[in-house]
Amino acid sequence: MKSTMVTIRDVAKESGFSSTTVSIVLNSAPLARYIPASTKKCIERAAKKLGYRPNLFARSLRSQRSHTVGVMVFDMTDPYCTLVLRGIENSLYQSSYLPILTDVHNERSRFERYLEMLLDRRVEALIVLANWLFVDIDVLADLEKSSIPTVMIGRELQTDSISSVLVDNELGAHAALEHLYSLGHRKIAIIRGPKTLADSAPRWKGIRSFAKSVELEIDPRLVLDLPESRDPISSFEAGYQLTEDLLKQRRPFTALMAFDDMTAFGAIRALAKAGLRVPEHCSVIGFDDVAASALYTPSLTTIRQPMEVMGTIAVSIALDGVNAVLEKRQLSAVHRKIAPELAVRESTRRLL
Amino acid sequence: MKSTMVTIRDVAKESGFSSTTVSIVLNSAPLARYIPASTKKCIERAAKKLGYRPNLFARSLRSQRSHTVGVMVFDMTDPYCTLVLRGIENSLYQSSYLPILTDVHNERSRFERYLEMLLDRRVEALIVLANWLFVDIDVLADLEKSSIPTVMIGRELQTDSISSVLVDNELGAHAALEHLYSLGHRKIAIIRGPKTLADSAPRWKGIRSFAKSVELEIDPRLVLDLPESRDPISSFEAGYQLTEDLLKQRRPFTALMAFDDMTAFGAIRALAKAGLRVPEHCSVIGFDDVAASALYTPSLTTIRQPMEVMGTIAVSIALDGVNAVLEKRQLSAVHRKIAPELAVRESTRRLL
DNA sequence: TCCCGAAGTTCGATTTAAATG
DNA sequence: GCATTTAAATCGAACTTCGGG
């Protein structure tokens, strides 16, 4: 039945050497340089013949290493996650680490339980994708006491024990408004993010900073805020609703800047329902560049977050942290802010 | 430094009992019923005081259990994955299992390497999401020799050692065509799936079966095939391209049935470019109901795969398999075919 | 005999210390 | 001292066995 249970002792018996020697050879440990090539070859042949695979539980028990990284996502259904996860997965693969994926569903209890489970499994690092985050900050403080290298994507903590990878929201929003402005738009409606979402404030700052630089007046009656909601898809519905409200006001606008792509999709839907075509009657710009944006009709002009790259960077910071711990080096948190880029597509056009 | 290394012996010392007793009490093993409540309380208090957490490596080494399930996805960026993964994650969470997520990128070498890594970690079951699968079947035969409970989602193997969860493609395609027909459409263009994709044939069968039942004639010149491609997003571009070709033919059609939602998005784009509005000038129906379908303008009428449910079912089959192994019961593979449902939205309308 | 708890073994690999020639 | 090999201890929990009351 369990013919697949070849231990190091079996290899030892087969090769005629002790398990110590086998271990040294197969791991090419430092001592292996004293061992003659003939012995090595013999042991390797025996191992291959028996199909020996080391038991990782035993190895981990000794070494206290799991070669595993915990990945926590706050809401898996957020399309923002997909590419970030791809980036994480790919980088971990290069380093022979495996990810344990957990989805917090934006629930405090789940966060706590999962954190415990991951720590119990001795994950060597933790990557937290705080994409659509509506839990109290103090929950995140739990992360600090975890004492393993931790990287947050999409959110920065005050503490200097947790690294972060962020998109430069201010820069992105600045570029988005600049794009609309350069196309001749002056009456621009803006749908801002929920106040409690960390991204909202810097994006608004970027908007005001650009507006100021060209003395563009932002009509406060054309500025609306998304409500809070735990569901990332909800910004679609809210975008739809707010745009309808906007249209009811009958204050003219020729372009709309949405908080994110979901919101933009909602806005386009509302405009279409009112008989307004995008971009002919109104230009619309989003933020994020989720996969659907390129597939939309019209395809969505947006600010692209380099999500896959962000995942890659997070892994690299995390594994640096792991190495630092192994070498007992002190390593302080790293904070990277990544520049987004404007992706011009069909949903925006020059004002005629 | 490593104050977080409380062993069962520490608890034994603190409580004044032996590690045996501590183990029995904390695991409420059968023998625990002989142990007086006072002893239990004392031990539990000591454990809590020291913040004892059992070392899972040691436990796994003894029990040969990992409480881990391997999840292999063939292409993570396929929007089809998201909800299935959510379903898997959620069910595993209920059972205190943790998923290790691997993304094969449709590459044979990755598949093999990941399979090895997962088996090395003694995952107790394997769930394979064969969503957009273009590797040789014989690669999948590797799964059989793995000898752990395995469930495939989206593809059925001839073997009876691997369970499967499938959507009823034939039923779905049947319902899709029926929907268009009932709206009065008779000239219906059809974009079929790539020939090597397992879903393609049954969907086509469902189409013909409905057509036959109402004596609807399918014009072969309005039937096109998606090309093969490893990239799931490519069906968007192919859908676009094929629809353009279709329009160039100048053979009239009033409705289009796409292989999947991505293809439908591509088709809508092509129609829009030709000045044809959906659904006013042409109805379009997709298949899958990926998240973006509800957000599209117009929202897409499609055949909904109950993806989250499919993930849940896969987990339940997998864990049944795990229990069977534990109890040394023999358990043969389970094959579930799930009925999809028609989701009527804005992209189809009655022919006037 | 029944209840309770301790001592010792096991899981499989790594590592230290030590033994050969 | 050097090259080569190995016995024995270790990691932490769980289970088997056994002895005392």
Side-chain angles (χ1 to χ4, degrees):
Chain A
M1 170 193 167
K2 284 209 175 177
S3 59
T4 51
M5 276 299 266
V6 183
T7 76
I8 200 173
R9 265 175 283 271
D10 296 326
V11 178
K13 207 168 295 171
E14 172 78 17
S15 66
F17 292 94
S18 74
S19 59
T20 311
T21 312
V22 173
S23 173
I24 290 169
V25 168
L26 294 184
N27 294 302
S28 31
L31 279 173
R33 67 197 158 95
Y34 295 130
I35 295 180
S38 59
T39 304
K40 287 181 182 168
K41 201 148 287 174
C42 173
I43 288 176
E44 274 153 9
R45 194 173 317 119
K48 180 173 287 178
K49 180 183 166 192
L50 299 180
Y52 170 69
R53 310 238 85 204
N55 182 314
L56 294 190
F57 296 147
R59 182 176 277 179
S60 289
L61 176 57
R62 262 312 305 224
S63 64
Q64 297 294 1
R65 298 199 55 187
S66 63
H67 275 284
T68 295
V69 168
V71 178
M72 297 185 95
V73 166
F74 270 81
D75 189 324
M76 174 86 208
T77 62
D78 187 343
Y80 177 79
C81 290
T82 311
L83 274 182
V84 179
L85 286 177
R86 165 63 73 104
I88 292 174
E89 178 271 341
N90 200 33
S91 297
L92 289 179
Y93 181 73
Q94 312 294 339
S95 310
S96 296
Y97 277 79
L98 243 28
I100 295 183
L101 178 65
T102 61
D103 180 353
V104 172
H105 295 203
N106 252 307
E107 287 168 24
R108 185 199 187 94
S109 62
R110 262 180 118 96
F111 174 88
E112 285 166 354
R113 172 108 191 279
Y114 266 140
L115 184 56
E116 252 183 12
M117 290 173 84
L118 292 175
L119 295 178
D120 277 351
R121 281 163 200 255
R122 303 283 202 281
V123 292
E124 298 189 30
L126 204 52
I127 297 177
V128 180
L129 186 38
N131 50 319
W132 188 262
L133 176 55
F134 283 108
V135 260
D136 304 351
I137 312 264
D138 71 325
V139 165
L140 298 177
D142 286 6
L143 289 175
E144 294 192 62
K145 69 174 189 213
S146 75
S147 80
I148 60 174
T150 302
V151 185
M152 290 200 78
I153 299 176
R155 177 130 185 179
E156 191 167 12
L157 294 189
Q158 284 76 348
T159 162
D160 53 11
S161 70
I162 296 181
S163 299
S164 64
V165 180
L166 292 178
V167 74
D168 191 329
N169 282 302
E170 191 174 340
L171 200 63
H174 191 282
L177 189 55
E178 181 175 35
H179 172 67
L180 294 176
Y181 185 86
S182 74
L183 291 176
H185 295 281
R186 295 298 179 269
K187 289 174 195 150
I188 300 172
I190 295 170
I191 300 182
R192 297 189 292 193
K195 288 202 184 58
T196 51
L197 205 62
D199 298 325
S200 301
R203 290 192 194 170
W204 177 238
K205 195 174 168 199
I207 289 170
R208 281 184 315 174
S209 106
F210 175 78
K212 193 171 181 190
S213 72
V214 296
E215 290 182 345
L216 168 69
E217 194 197 341
I218 298 175
D219 183 345
R221 278 160 302 191
L222 290 180
V223 177
L224 301 177
D225 293 311
L226 289 176
E228 332 244 304
S229 162
R230 303 200 153 203
D231 177 9
I233 302 294
S234 72
S235 63
F236 170 79
E237 279 144 30
Y240 178 83
Q241 194 58 56
L242 291 177
T243 304
E244 273 204 326
D245 296 349
L246 213 46
L247 291 169
K248 254 184 239 141
Q249 273 188 217
R250 305 217 149 275
R251 286 200 91 71
F253 57 92
T254 64
L256 186 151
M257 177 172 166
F259 173 65
D260 62 11
D261 291 352
M262 292 289 133
T263 312
F265 296 151
I268 291 175
R269 168 81 58 90
L271 291 167
K273 193 183 171 202
L276 298 173
R277 313 264 315 264
V278 175
E280 290 83 350
H281 305 293
C282 180
S283 286
V284 173
I285 190 168
F287 202 112
D288 283 350
D289 196 16
V290 297
S293 299
L295 311 182
Y296 219 76
T297 301
S299 59
L300 189 68
T301 296
T302 189
I303 301 297
R304 174 181 307 136
Q305 297 203 39
M307 308 188 252
E308 202 162 345
V309 170
M310 289 168 76
T312 300
I313 292 175
V315 168
S316 122
I317 294 175
L319 295 188
D320 282 352
V322 171
N323 287 328
V325 170
L326 287 178
E327 299 164 9
K328 299 180 199 294
R329 279 187 285 116
Q330 206 63 19
L331 192 61
S332 56
V334 179
H335 298 281
R336 296 279 302 268
K337 195 173 276 184
I338 315 295
E341 69 188 43
L342 176 67
V344 179
R345 299 211 186 89
E346 300 169 348
S347 70
T348 52
R349 73 150 61 162
R350 177 163 296 284
L351 188 63
L352 300 179
Chain B
M1 170 193 169
K2 284 211 173 176
S3 59
T4 51
M5 277 298 266
V6 183
T7 78
I8 199 172
R9 267 174 285 271
D10 296 325
V11 178
K13 205 169 296 171
E14 172 77 19
S15 65
F17 293 94
S18 76
S19 59
T20 313
T21 313
V22 174
S23 174
I24 290 170
V25 169
L26 294 184
N27 294 301
S28 30
L31 281 173
R33 66 200 159 94
Y34 295 131
I35 294 181
S38 59
T39 306
K40 286 182 184 169
K41 201 148 287 175
C42 173
I43 288 176
E44 274 152 9
R45 195 175 315 121
K48 180 172 287 179
K49 180 183 167 193
L50 299 179
Y52 170 70
R53 309 238 85 204
N55 182 315
L56 294 191
F57 296 146
R59 184 176 277 180
S60 290
L61 176 57
R62 240 350 279 241
S63 64
Q64 296 294 2
R65 299 199 54 186
S66 63
H67 276 283
T68 295
V69 168
V71 178
M72 296 186 96
V73 166
F74 270 81
D75 190 324
M76 174 86 207
T77 62
D78 186 343
Y80 177 79
C81 290
T82 310
L83 274 183
V84 179
L85 286 177
R86 165 64 72 106
I88 292 174
E89 178 270 342
N90 200 34
S91 297
L92 290 178
Y93 180 74
Q94 312 294 340
S95 310
S96 295
Y97 277 79
L98 243 28
I100 294 184
L101 177 66
T102 62
D103 180 354
V104 172
H105 295 204
N106 251 306
E107 286 168 25
R108 185 199 188 93
S109 62
R110 260 179 119 97
F111 173 89
E112 286 166 354
R113 172 108 192 279
Y114 266 140
L115 183 56
E116 250 184 14
M117 290 172 83
L118 292 175
L119 294 178
D120 276 351
R121 281 163 199 255
R122 303 282 202 283
V123 293
E124 299 188 29
L126 205 52
I127 296 178
V128 180
L129 185 39
N131 51 318
W132 188 261
L133 177 54
F134 284 108
V135 262
D136 305 352
I137 313 264
D138 71 325
V139 164
L140 298 177
D142 285 7
L143 289 175
E144 294 191 62
K145 69 174 189 210
S146 76
S147 81
I148 58 173
T150 302
V151 185
M152 288 200 78
I153 299 176
R155 176 131 184 179
E156 191 167 11
L157 293 188
Q158 284 74 349
T159 162
D160 54 12
S161 71
I162 296 181
S163 299
S164 64
V165 180
L166 293 178
V167 75
D168 191 329
N169 283 301
E170 191 173 339
L171 199 64
H174 191 282
L177 189 54
E178 181 174 36
H179 172 65
L180 294 176
Y181 185 85
S182 74
L183 292 176
H185 296 281
R186 295 299 179 269
K187 291 174 192 150
I188 300 172
I190 295 170
I191 300 182
R192 297 190 293 193
K195 289 203 184 59
T196 51
L197 206 62
D199 299 324
S200 301
R203 289 192 197 170
W204 177 237
K205 194 174 168 200
I207 289 170
R208 281 183 315 173
S209 108
F210 175 78
K212 192 170 181 189
S213 73
V214 296
E215 289 182 346
L216 169 67
E217 194 197 341
I218 298 175
D219 183 345
R221 280 161 300 193
L222 290 180
V223 177
L224 302 177
D225 292 312
L226 289 176
E228 331 243 304
S229 164
R230 300 198 156 206
D231 177 10
I233 302 293
S234 72
S235 64
F236 169 79
E237 279 143 30
Y240 178 83
Q241 193 59 55
L242 290 177
T243 304
E244 274 204 325
D245 296 350
L246 214 46
L247 292 170
K248 254 184 239 140
Q249 274 189 215
R250 305 217 149 276
R251 285 200 94 71
F253 57 92
T254 64
L256 187 152
M257 177 172 165
F259 173 67
D260 63 9
D261 292 352
M262 291 290 134
T263 311
F265 296 152
I268 292 175
R269 168 81 59 88
L271 291 167
K273 195 184 167 201
L276 299 173
R277 314 265 314 264
V278 174
E280 290 83 349
H281 305 292
C282 180
S283 286
V284 173
I285 191 169
F287 201 112
D288 283 351
D289 196 17
V290 298
S293 299
L295 311 181
Y296 219 75
T297 301
S299 58
L300 189 69
T301 296
T302 189
I303 302 297
R304 174 181 306 136
Q305 295 203 39
M307 307 188 250
E308 201 162 346
V309 171
M310 289 168 75
T312 300
I313 292 175
V315 168
S316 122
I317 294 175
L319 296 188
D320 282 352
V322 170
N323 288 327
V325 170
L326 287 177
E327 300 163 10
K328 298 179 200 293
R329 278 187 286 114
Q330 205 63 19
L331 191 62
S332 56
V334 179
H335 297 282
R336 295 280 302 270
K337 195 172 275 184
I338 315 295
E341 68 187 44
L342 174 68
V344 179
R345 299 212 186 88
E346 301 168 347
S347 70
T348 52
R349 74 148 61 161
R350 177 163 296 285
L351 189 62
L352 300 179

